[in-house]
Amino acid sequence: FISTGISLLGAQPSGGGTLWTPADITTYGWYDASDASTITLSGTDVTAWDDKSGNGYTATQTGSDNPTYATALVNGLNSVEFGNDDGTSARGYGFLDTATLGLGLVASSYAFFASYARYAGLTINHLIGGGVGSTNKNLHCGYDNNTQLRIAQFGNDTSVLVPGYTTTQDAIVTGLNDSGIDKIIRDNGGLYETIRANSNDLSDNQGFAIGRFINNSFLFKGRINEMVFLNSFPSTSDRDKIEGYLAWKWGTEASLPVTHPYKYTPPTT
């Protein structure tokens, strides 16, 4: 057993083998704030976040709405902090455009995984979102309100009720679209989960970005530690490995349900 709070980067698997990472599967997009070599800075402002999948989907911000880079913030690892433009919270932390990645999720199965923390119980507080307010043309994932976590396409929402915000706590979200079949939203590896029969895929996904809901509005207030995108529906084994990897790396394994295969040890190869 590896105690809560030990970084996955320094952990040793109790049963032998090598620690599993998303590099062991084919990812479509992979953003890892702990890897400083993937972050381009202007002071502490993030101007670019490189994609580790090998597909080159660098997320960029050329305007003034830059998120910021925080060192040793979560489990001893670096993170990217975003703000929110709702008029009652700090401004100046923006979003990162990754429009080309978003287009590759159209008319397809897809999967989104993230380790993150929200900084307030805001309505419309989304980690990712598109630029068009039309049905099935805006993939977004985050909080519809303080207690409702959702994966949606501007319509065809799938939501799950979760505890409301009280203090800043890191968590894992999993959003899945099994093309033509259903949509799934999972909090902390299935601690809370909704599966909804829904056959609608994205028909477009222009203006996709990290750290906002739509266009330049409803910026995410919180931090994003790491994100993994797939343009396919993962096997249960791969889904569980990604969740286990994120949980152990970012120190949230205690929040996994007791039925999760990586509740007590991280995934290995």
Side-chain angles (χ1 to χ4, degrees), residues 83-89 118-128 140-150 157 159 162-165 211-214 217-222:
N84 192 288
D85 66 349
D86 65 347
T88 63
S89 55
R118 55 176 170 158
Y119 288 168
L122 299 174
T123 296
I124 315 298
N125 197 24
H126 287 75
L127 286 77
I128 54 171
H140 48 284
C141 185
Y143 289 87
D144 188 42
N145 57 52
N146 186 35
T147 60
Q148 187 165 284
L149 183 64
R150 70 176 176 182
D157 300 11
S159 303
V162 297
Y165 177 89
R212 72 169 186 208
F213 169 50
I214 185 169
S217 61
F218 297 109
L219 306 184
F220 178 59
K221 185 172 180 62

Side-chain angles (χ1 to χ4, degrees), residues 37-235:
S37 71
T38 67
I39 304 291
T40 302
L41 295 174
S42 175
T44 60
D45 287 351
V46 178
T47 59
W49 193 353
D50 291 341
D51 167 24
K52 294 176 67 170
S53 74
N55 290 321
Y57 296 128
T58 299
T60 59
Q61 175 53 264
T62 57
S64 60
D65 286 330
N66 299 85
T68 59
Y69 199 46
T71 58
L73 183 64
V74 185
N75 210 26
L77 302 174
N78 302 346
S79 185
V80 176
E81 293 189 288
F82 296 78
N84 192 288
D85 66 349
D86 65 347
T88 63
S89 55
R91 297 172 184 263
Y93 303 141
F95 60 91
L96 296 168
D97 292 302
T98 182
T100 306
L101 179 146
L103 294 175
L105 304 175
V106 173
S108 171
S109 293
Y110 56 75
F112 170 66
F113 302 83
S115 170
Y116 72 99
R118 55 176 170 158
Y119 288 168
L122 299 174
T123 296
I124 315 298
N125 197 24
H126 287 75
L127 286 77
I128 54 171
V132 177
S134 300
T135 303
N136 294 322
K137 294 184 178 181
N138 182 332
L139 173 61
H140 48 284
C141 185
Y143 289 87
D144 188 42
N145 57 52
N146 186 35
T147 60
Q148 187 165 284
L149 183 64
R150 70 176 176 182
I151 184 82
Q153 299 175 171
F154 212 88
N156 296 299
D157 300 11
T158 300
S159 303
V160 64
L161 291 177
V162 297
Y165 177 89
T166 54
T167 59
T168 298
Q169 297 180 340
D170 291 275
I172 297 166
V173 61
T174 303
L176 308 169
N177 176 51
D178 193 358
S179 181
I181 301 175
D182 57 29
K183 291 178 175 59
I184 302 169
I185 183 76
R186 289 163 60 89
D187 173 72
N188 282 320
L191 185 64
Y192 303 94
E193 180 182 51
T194 296
I195 302 173
R196 179 190 176 203
N198 187 290
S199 62
N200 295 281
D201 293 335
L202 287 165
S203 60
D204 202 355
N205 196 29
Q206 300 283 338
F208 192 62
I210 298 165
R212 72 169 186 208
F213 169 50
I214 185 169
N215 294 325
N216 297 337
S217 61
F218 297 109
L219 306 184
F220 178 59
K221 185 172 180 62
R223 60 177 174 248
I224 297 178
N225 306 320
E226 191 163 355
M227 295 176 294
V228 176
F229 293 86
L230 308 179
N231 61 347
S232 60
F233 189 78
S235 66

